[in-house]
């Protein structure tokens, strides 16, 4: 058995096995990969617990016990977005092909490379007999790409541990990220009245009415747009529309999905209430229309002060004073307990590669991240007193 799990000879084939295990979500099927990682832990004398999150779905949890009361959590998700279509890329999505110093495959960047690196870092400390001055928790979650079902499952556990620091291995290009924007997804449905296409005056055209709502959203998007020096600017975009039955029928229903990204100090509850009130006024000016607003997703902003010990430690290891934010949301939104847990986002993947055809990770960056996570655990938790 190769005990140097941080070496390229071990770590690269290990990541290839993760990429070759299809966990595209939907449907996810994360339990298969969780069980494989549990077996890997058991081979090295470490207990791992599987928790079901639905049929074929599940988390893996493991504790690397130390001494003292401090706790650090390493967290990554098991699922990926769907595979790219044949012809959209050069490489097969689950091929884990090595070429030009990179590994290609779905999840290489987002975020099985970070997940693998965290696990190998923790296992390497165990194999070297290093006892940390606190517990190191490892959590691999299901469902982050859709509904964070795995993170929500963990957050609902009454016996869950509240760590002193949370590290999320999403792709940052090996930069120290202190947070991300919030995400509020809404579905707006406008109800009108159908009529024959030759007599449109007898109906209320929901598609035409929705065009006015979209124009209203565009006018007000700048008013609702916040800005943060680290996380950047908020945004609002209408990304899906559906309405109508056929060409000669005035549509009585139209719906749109709206993606709103927020930055501090914006409140999702306040924004939702304001939008709902404004849309009620708008539809009230056209009697007969009825407008509904439904929340599809609510992920809070995550932000950690760069002066926090977790971030300072990461900066010292990385040899930089520069922090950044990332545009996407993470499981940190579910796990940071209203901002009371410091969160570091750090991973070897490139953010621009996430969800792309021919997704890849740089192999040197991947191997370096294993060393980074090792050092982070050692510096943040310290070594147990002999």
């Amino acid at each position: 058995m190769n005990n140097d799990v941080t070496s390229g000879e071990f770590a690269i084939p290990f990541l290839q096995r993760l990429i070759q295990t299809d966990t595209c979500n939907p449907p996810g099927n994360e339990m298969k990969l969780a069980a494989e990682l549990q077996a890997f832990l058991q081979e090295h004398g470490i207990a791992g617990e599987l928790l079901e999150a639905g049929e074929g779905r599940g988390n893996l949890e493991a504790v690397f016990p130390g001494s003292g009361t401090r706790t650090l959590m390493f967290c990554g998700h098991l699922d990926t977005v769907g595979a790219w279509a044949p012809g959209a890329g050069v490489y097969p999505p689950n091929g884990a092909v090595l070429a030009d110093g990179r590994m290609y495959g779905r999840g290489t960047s987002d975020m099985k490379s970070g997940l693998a690196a965290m696990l190998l870092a923790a296992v390497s400390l165990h194999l070297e007999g290093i006892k940390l001055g606190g517990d190191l928790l490892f959590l691999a979650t299901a469902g982050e790409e859709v509904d964070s079902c795995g993170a929500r499952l963990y957050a609902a556990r009454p016996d869950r541990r509240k760590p002193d620091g949370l590290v999320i291995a999403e792709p940052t290009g090996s930069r120290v990220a202190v947070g991300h924007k919030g995400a509020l997804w809404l579905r707006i449905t406008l109800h009108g009245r159908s009529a024959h296409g030759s007599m449109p005056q007898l109906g209320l055209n929901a598609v035409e009415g929705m065009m006015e709502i979209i124009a209203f959203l565009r006018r007000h998007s700048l008013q609702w747009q916040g800005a943060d020096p680290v996380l950047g600017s908020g945004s609002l975009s209408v990304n899906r529309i559906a309405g109508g039955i056929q060409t000669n029928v005035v549509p009585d229903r139209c719906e749109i999905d709206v993606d709103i990204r927020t930055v501090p100090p914006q409140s999702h509850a306040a924004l939702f209430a304001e939008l709902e009130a404004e849309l009620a006024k708008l539809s009230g000016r056209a009697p007969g229309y009825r407008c509904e607003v439904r929340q599809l997703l609510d992920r809070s902003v995550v932000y950690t002060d760069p002066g926090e010990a977790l971030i300072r430690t990461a900066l010292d290891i990385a040899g930089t004073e520069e922090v950044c934010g990332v545009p996407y949301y993470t499981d940190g939104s579910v796990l940071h307990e209203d901002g009371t847990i410091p969160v570091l986002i750090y991973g070897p993947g490139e953010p621009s590669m996430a969800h792309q055809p021919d997704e890849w990770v740089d192999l040197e960056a991947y191997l370096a991240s294993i060393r980074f996570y090792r050092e982070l655990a050692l510096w943040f938790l310290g070594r147990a007193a002999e």
Side-chain angles (χ1 to χ4, degrees), residues 328-339:
Y328 48 77
Y329 65 80
T330 74
D331 274 342
S333 288
V334 178
L335 299 173
H336 73 149
E337 300 204 14
D338 296 321

Side-chain angles (χ1 to χ4, degrees), residues 184 186 188 213-214 216-222 224-226 233-239 256-262 271 275:
L184 179 64
L186 304 176
I188 300 173
I213 290 177
I214 293 172
F216 161 79
L217 292 172
R218 289 173 62 88
R219 288 195 304 271
H220 283 71
S221 61
L222 290 178
W224 291 326
Q225 183 183 66
S233 298
S235 62
L236 182 152
S237 58
V238 178
N239 294 337
I256 58 173
D257 288 354
V258 184
D259 184 342
I260 303 173
R261 303 296 167 128
T262 58
L271 187 59
L275 179 60

Side-chain angles (χ1 to χ4, degrees), residues 23 31 72 84 88 101 137 203 206 221 268 289 294 359:
T23 55
M31 188 59 85
L72 179 65
W84 55 84
L137 312 181
S221 61
H268 287 186
Y289 281 119
R294 181 163 66 92
E359 181 182 346

Side-chain angles (χ1 to χ4, degrees), residues 225-289:
Q225 183 183 66
D228 182 89
V230 175
L231 302 184
S233 298
S235 62
L236 182 152
S237 58
V238 178
N239 294 337
R240 190 187 72 88
I241 186 167
I245 301 170
Q246 60 190 63
T247 307
N248 62 345
V249 177
V250 173
D252 64 352
R253 186 176 183 276
C254 185
E255 69 179 26
I256 58 173
D257 288 354
V258 184
D259 184 342
I260 303 173
R261 303 296 167 128
T262 58
V263 296
Q266 289 176 303
S267 160
H268 287 186
L271 187 59
F272 181 85
E274 181 183 351
L275 179 60
E276 200 171 34
E278 291 294 331
L279 289 174
K281 290 180 194 174
L282 193 65
S283 58
R285 291 199 292 268
Y289 281 119

Side-chain angles (χ1 to χ4, degrees), residues 108-378:
T108 48
S109 184
D110 182 17
M111 56 167 282
K112 288 180 178 178
S113 57
L115 181 72
M118 281 183 161
L119 184 58
L120 294 178
V123 169
S124 72
L125 293 169
H126 169 80
L127 293 178
E128 291 173 28
I130 296 173
K131 189 167 186 179
L132 297 168
D135 289 351
L136 179 59
L137 312 181
F138 175 78
L139 175 64
T141 62
E144 189 272 350
E145 294 290 1
V146 174
D147 58 3
S148 290
C149 62
R152 289 188 288 107
L153 177 69
Y154 180 85
R157 290 187 64 169
D159 61 341
R160 71 184 183 278
R161 303 277 293 276
K162 182 175 179 178
D164 299 282
L166 170 62
V167 187
I168 306 283
E170 293 281 7
T172 67
S174 302
R175 298 176 69 199
V176 175
V178 296
H180 60 71
K181 300 173 187 178
L184 179 64
W185 294 356
L186 304 176
R187 176 161 293 165
I188 300 173
T189 305
L190 186 65
H191 299 274
R193 186 171 62 249
S194 64
H196 196 286
S198 66
M199 296 172 283
Q201 72 279 6
L202 299 180
L204 282 174
N205 192 311
V207 169
E208 292 180 357
M210 187 62 80
M211 290 168 62
E212 292 194 30
I213 290 177
I214 293 172
F216 161 79
L217 292 172
R218 289 173 62 88
R219 288 195 304 271
H220 283 71
S221 61
L222 290 178
Q223 175 187 329
W224 291 326
Q225 183 183 66
D228 182 89
V230 175
L231 302 184
S233 298
S235 62
L236 182 152
S237 58
V238 178
N239 294 337
R240 190 187 72 88
I241 186 167
I245 301 170
Q246 60 190 63
T247 307
N248 62 345
V249 177
V250 173
D252 64 352
R253 186 176 183 276
C254 185
E255 69 179 26
I256 58 173
D257 288 354
V258 184
D259 184 342
I260 303 173
R261 303 296 167 128
T262 58
V263 296
Q266 289 176 303
S267 160
H268 287 186
L271 187 59
F272 181 85
E274 181 183 351
L275 179 60
E276 200 171 34
E278 291 294 331
L279 289 174
K281 290 180 194 174
L282 193 65
S283 58
R285 291 199 292 268
Y289 281 119
R290 181 169 60 86
C291 188
E292 297 174 348
V293 187
R294 181 163 66 92
Q295 184 176 284
L296 300 178
L297 177 140
D298 183 3
R299 294 288 181 269
S300 65
V301 169
V302 169
Y303 180 78
T304 301
D305 189 297
E308 284 280 352
L310 178 64
I311 305 301
R312 292 303 321 162
T313 302
L315 290 170
D316 289 343
I317 296 170
T320 182
E321 290 294 316
E322 183 182 355
V323 299
C324 67
V326 293
Y328 48 77
Y329 65 80
T330 74
D331 274 342
S333 288
V334 178
L335 299 173
H336 73 149
E337 300 204 14
D338 296 321
T340 60
I341 299 174
V343 178
L344 164 68
I345 307 168
Y346 183 97
E350 290 294 333
S352 61
M353 282 293 100
H355 305 186
Q356 296 295 317
D358 284 340
E359 181 182 346
W360 55 263
V361 68
D362 181 89
L363 292 174
E364 285 301 318
Y366 163 57
L367 296 174
S369 72
I370 303 174
R371 298 188 289 272
F372 176 90
Y373 296 129
R374 271 179 54 95
E375 293 299 303
L376 187 67
L378 280 166

Side-chain angles (χ1 to χ4, degrees), residues 66-125:
S67 64
T69 59
R70 213 170 194 200
T71 302
L72 179 65
M73 175 181 278
F74 283 171
C75 179
H77 61 85
L78 296 156
D79 62 324
T80 71
V81 295
W84 55 84
V90 174
Y91 299 99
N94 295 110
V97 174
L98 305 179
D100 303 320
R102 298 171 175 175
M103 184 184 299
Y104 290 85
R106 179 57 83 220
T108 48
S109 184
D110 182 17
M111 56 167 282
K112 288 180 178 178
S113 57
L115 181 72
M118 281 183 161
L119 184 58
L120 294 178
V123 169
S124 72
L125 293 169

